[in-house]
Amino acid sequence: GKLVIASHNQGKVREIRALLAPYGIEPISAAELNLPEPEETGTTFAENALIKAHSAAKGANMVALADDSGLCVTSLGGAPGVYTADWAEEEFFHAGKRTTDGSRNWYLAMGKVEGRLAQLGMDVDRSAFFTCTLALAWPDGSERVFEGRVNGSLTWPPRGDKGFGYDPVFVANGMDKTFGEIDPDAKHAISHRADAFAKFIADMF
Ligand code: ITT
């Protein structure tokens, strides 16, 4: 049957398509189906991934795959974590209240992380990890969850424009290039998303 990718993030959708291609799965995206974006009201990656997967499975009447992911910085107590996308939302003030227009500025978000690390001093622990939680949901309400992770550290200033999101400041352990400087295949060999996908594929096939 057909699979819908319950994501409106083009960078993610591109990576998920590449990770599914070897298995002959050609998914359709939630954006292509004009599915609404549900509000991510969960407090964990799994809760948010399941909200997105169930919403798309019901909306499309197809099996849906959602990805909730984020950057967790050790010295910031795991922040931005589930709020990784929120940290990139541009802030505006309207009638004295903070609002957001939903547009994202990754440079601003990476700078926010770096600014907080800088406040902690020169020799602050710069270790961080990316985490990816995949949720699969069926129109009948059944569900599965798979988690992946990649450990690394943060660098500044940002380098490379090959990935998306926080890739230009993340260097995986054992590498010297950022995720923004390496080709998609190199990222897929070690990424949090590929790790979660390996578990998903092992379970499904
Ligand atoms: P959907 O919910 O529509 O899938 P989103 O961008 O809102 O898209 P998340 O709520 O999961 O997705 O936010 C996760 C953020 O973490 C995402 O916007 C990226 O900035 C960042 N992120 C996740 N995976 C990443 C990766 O492989 N490289 C760089 N940044 C990543």
Side-chain angles (χ1 to χ4, degrees), residues 17-180:
R17 281 190 196 284
L19 289 161
L20 288 172
Y23 304 95
I25 302 169
E26 285 180 26
I28 186 156
S29 76
E32 288 171 287
L33 289 173
N34 277 316
L35 295 178
E37 273 190 81
E39 221 191 311
E40 295 181 37
T41 53
T43 55
T44 64
F45 293 107
E47 280 171 16
N48 284 335
L50 285 166
I51 288 169
K52 292 185 278 193
H54 283 297
S55 165
K58 295 231 155 57
N61 199 30
M62 283 182 215
V63 185
L65 178 67
D67 169 322
D68 203 63
S69 40
L71 178 72
C72 303
V73 182
T74 309
S75 295
L76 304 182
V82 280
Y83 306 105
T84 297
D86 301 341
W87 280 32
E89 311 245 292
E90 293 212 57
E91 289 164 10
F92 291 97
F93 287 85
H94 179 70
K97 284 176 80 181
R98 206 187 77 183
T99 61
T100 172
D101 74 345
S103 77
R104 291 176 177 174
N105 179 337
W106 295 112
Y107 195 83
L108 173 114
M110 292 185 289
K112 217 183 272 189
V113 170
E114 185 60 25
R116 301 217 181 163
L117 281 178
Q119 283 171 359
L120 298 174
M122 286 275 289
D123 51 2
V124 65
D125 174 1
R126 301 186 63 86
S127 67
F129 62 90
F130 272 127
T131 184
C132 173
T133 302
L134 295 175
L136 207 57
W138 283 260
D140 72 2
S142 38
E143 61 186 41
R144 299 294 320 264
V145 171
F146 308 92
E147 294 194 354
R149 171 172 169 159
V150 59
N151 293 315
S153 62
L154 297 175
T155 188
W156 192 259
R159 303 196 312 257
D161 55 9
K162 291 189 183 185
F164 68 97
Y166 294 72
D167 279 341
V169 292
F170 186 83
V171 179
N173 287 349
M175 301 196 74
D176 47 22
K177 291 182 174 172
T178 70
F179 269 4

